[in-house]
Every structure is written in structure tokens, then in C-alpha cells.
């Protein structure tokens, strides 16, 4: 199922029959990843009086309520409304869903007690390219990221300069395998979020940040077609399902 799409004056061809899903499935389980000091998600059948909406208990349908937080419980995409006083919905911010993305793998640098992703690292990895979207896989890349409890772990984060660098080269969409691009406990500074969205000076309403992805080690660094899909939530953030497609016959895709 090959398709050729023109994106920003360039034609890219991909096989839609070979998706590379980089989202994490949300589960009502302690094996679900967690952050921001919350308990696991809850998925349970509706109960009205003695009636339980579960086929195995006599109902004609399974009819569940779901309780979760998009920022804390899995892959999600957020807009500037995450940090702004004015309300902005990610459903209004993300109007296009296909992008040429660069996948890079980075080993965060040690600075004191922290691990950071620096502008120097990103500049070196991109090597002059200016993608509309960047997918960042951090090292070590182990499958336990899909079930990890991140609260109180001081995960790696972007420096303010790293976020500003991505904004300045025109990156509109950042995807990363961490709960946040900012330091877990930063006294509310949110320096990387603000630098990337250029907030509050001239907020980039069409730019997004996707966190809590997982990129298998089987997927090589390089250029991909990214399909970034969100649920239609009227909220600053929504659960999302980013999917990569390897580019076909792309002369610039030499890393694949």
C-alpha cells in the first residue's frame, strides 16, 4: 500500500501497510507507565443499581468508564494550552497529521545530579537538517520504559537552549520517550516548554509536544513519514497514536 505525499515542497513515498507504532497502550494495570504522582488508570464497567455493563455478568454489551490523565498515563500530545493562562485545545492546534520526521537517538549528558539533552547534541544529530518533526529516543532504551513508574526519578530533560534551538530551525512537533521535556521538579519554571512554544511572547499555537512514546531498538535512526493522530479532546492534551513509516527511494534517507 504505497503512497506518495507532497509535504513542504518535497515528495515522500511510504508503504502504509508497514506501520511502526511508537505509542504506549494505556492499560488499567500497575504495568501501565505512571508519572506526576498519580495512581494507575481505571477502566471499569458502568454499574447502575444491580446492573453491571459487562457481558460476562449478564449484560448485552461491555460498557466501560475510563479514568486517566493524559499527561501521566501514556502517550499524549499537548499544545501551548498546557502552560498558558488562556485556554487552547490541542484539537484546534493540530490540524495536519502527516509530517516528515527525523528520528534521532541521544544519550543524555550528565550535569551535576541531572541528565540533560543539550542543544549541542541535537545540532550534531540533525547535522544541518531542519525537519518539521523530530522523534527523540533516549538511551538507555529498554522495554521497561513502557511500564516504568517515573514519579520522583528526576528523568532526563531538555535544556532551555535545546528547546529554543528546535524552535529556531523550524521544528513544529517534538516527540520524546519521557514524561516531559522539562525537569520533573523545577519549581514551575517549565523553561523548555516555554522556549519551544515561544511563550508568552509570541506563542506558537500550531506547535505540539508529544511525550511518553516508546521507539523500539529495531527502528533505525533516520527520516520517516510521521502520522500523528490524537483523540478529539477539547483539552490542552489528548491521548495520541504517533506512527512512523519508513520512506521508500529517498536519497536523503541514508541512515535507514
Amino acid at each position: 500500500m504505497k503512497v506518495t505525499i507532497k509535504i513542504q515542497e518535497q515528495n515522500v513515498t511510504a508503504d502504509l501497510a508497514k506501520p511502526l507504532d511508537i505509542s504506549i497502550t494505556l492499560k488499567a494495570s500497575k504495568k501501565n507507565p505512571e508519572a506526576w504522582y498519580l495512581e494507575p488508570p481505571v477502566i471499569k464497567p458502568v454499574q447502575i443499581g444491580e446492573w453491571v455493563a459487562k457481558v460476562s455478568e449478564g449484560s448485552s454489551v461491555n460498557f466501560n468508564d475510563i479514568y486517566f490523565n493524559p499527561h501521566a498515563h501514556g502517550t499524549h500530545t499537548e499544545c501551548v494550552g498546557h502552560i498558558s493562562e488562556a485556554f487552547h485545545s490541542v484539537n484546534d492546534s493540530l490540524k495536519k497529521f502527516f509530517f516528515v520526521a527525523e528520528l534521532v537517538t541521544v544519550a543524555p549528558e550528565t550535569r551535576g545530579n541531572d541528565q540533560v539533552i543539550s542543544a549541542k547534541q541535537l545540532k550534531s544529530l540533525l547535522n544541518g537538517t531542519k525537519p518539521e518533526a523530530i522523534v527523540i529516543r533516549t538511551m538507555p532504551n529498554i522495554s521497561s520504559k513502557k511500564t516504568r513508574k517515573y514519579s520522583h526519578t528526576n528523568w532526563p530533560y531538555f535544556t532551555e537552549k535545546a528547546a529554543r534551538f528546535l524552535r529556531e530551525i523550524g521544528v513544529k512537533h517534538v516527540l520524546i520517550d519521557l514524561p516531559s521535556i522539562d525537569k520533573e521538579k523545577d519549581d514551575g519554571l517549565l523553561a523548555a516548554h516555554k522556549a519551544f512554544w515561544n511563550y508568552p511572547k509570541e506563542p506558537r499555537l500550531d506547535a505540539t509536544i508529544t511525550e511518553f512514546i516508546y521507539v523500539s531498538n529495531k527502528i533505525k535512526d533516520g527520516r520517516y513519514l510521521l502520522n500523528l493522530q490524537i483523540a478529539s479532546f477539547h483539552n490542552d492534551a489528548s491521548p495520541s497514536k504517533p506512527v512512523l513509516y519508513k520512506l521508500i527511494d529517498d536519497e536523503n534517507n541514508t541512515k535507514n
Side-chain angles (χ1 to χ4, degrees):
M1 190 189 303
K2 295 181 181 179
V3 61
T4 298
I5 302 176
K6 187 174 184 179
I7 301 178
Q8 291 188 322
E9 304 305 316
Q10 60 179 320
N11 291 325
V12 294
T13 300
D15 187 349
L16 299 187
K18 298 179 179 179
L20 301 168
D21 188 348
I22 57 173
S23 68
I24 297 176
T25 302
L26 188 146
K27 301 177 180 178
S29 166
K30 290 184 178 180
K31 292 184 178 181
N32 197 84
E34 299 164 21
W36 306 118
Y37 327 114
L38 298 186
E39 294 297 315
V42 175
I43 303 176
K44 63 180 182 179
V46 170
Q47 184 166 357
I48 302 174
E50 296 183 357
W51 179 73
V52 179
K54 191 172 183 180
V55 174
S56 63
E57 296 191 23
S59 173
S60 59
V61 294
N62 294 306
F63 187 51
N64 293 328
D65 283 329
I66 302 176
Y67 302 88
F68 73 102
N69 186 293
H71 295 285
H73 288 139
T75 308
H76 63 277
T77 298
E78 59 195 35
C79 69
V80 70
H82 183 43
I83 61 169
S84 65
E85 182 175 350
F87 175 78
H88 296 285
S89 170
V90 68
N91 197 50
D92 296 328
S93 298
L94 187 64
K95 293 297 187 182
K96 298 179 181 179
F97 308 100
F98 283 98
F99 311 96
V100 174
E102 191 78 23
L103 167 62
V104 299
T105 300
V106 60
E109 300 175 353
T110 300
R111 294 190 183 179
N113 295 322
D114 295 342
Q115 295 283 309
V116 303
I117 298 168
S118 69
K120 182 178 179 180
Q121 287 179 299
L122 295 178
K123 187 174 182 179
S124 175
L125 289 166
L126 288 174
N127 193 28
T129 62
K130 298 179 180 181
E132 192 171 9
I134 184 171
V135 180
I136 299 173
R137 170 172 46 200
T138 59
M139 297 297 289
N141 191 51
I142 49 182
S143 61
S144 60
K145 285 180 178 178
K146 294 184 286 186
T147 59
R148 187 178 178 187
K149 307 301 179 275
Y150 280 90
S151 298
H152 305 294
T153 62
N154 191 29
W155 56 72
Y157 60 92
F158 275 17
T159 66
E160 182 178 358
K161 288 183 179 180
R164 185 183 305 117
F165 165 71
L166 293 179
R167 185 192 80 216
E168 289 175 346
I169 66 171
V171 172
K172 287 286 189 70
H173 307 283
V174 171
L175 297 86
I176 194 165
D177 58 3
L178 298 168
S180 177
I181 64 169
D182 268 305
K183 183 177 172 70
E184 180 183 11
K185 299 177 182 180
D186 66 351
D187 297 320
L189 292 177
L190 293 166
H193 280 82
K194 291 177 179 177
F196 179 71
W197 278 320
N198 202 28
Y199 181 85
K201 187 177 180 180
E202 295 181 7
R204 299 201 300 163
L205 301 182
D206 60 345
T208 70
I209 298 172
T210 299
E211 296 158 335
F212 253 141
I213 64 171
Y214 178 73
V215 185
S216 167
N217 289 319
K218 295 179 181 179
I219 304 175
K220 298 179 181 179
D221 284 8
R223 296 175 73 237
Y224 291 85
L225 176 65
L226 166 67
N227 179 211
L228 179 57
Q229 287 287 348
I230 60 173
S232 296
F233 277 45
H234 191 60
N235 190 45
D236 68 282
S238 167
S240 59
K241 189 178 183 71
V243 179
L244 298 177
Y245 297 91
K246 186 174 180 180
L247 299 184
I248 300 171
D249 297 327
D250 177 10
E251 294 179 357
N252 296 316
N253 198 24
T254 57
K255 296 179 185 178
N256 284 334

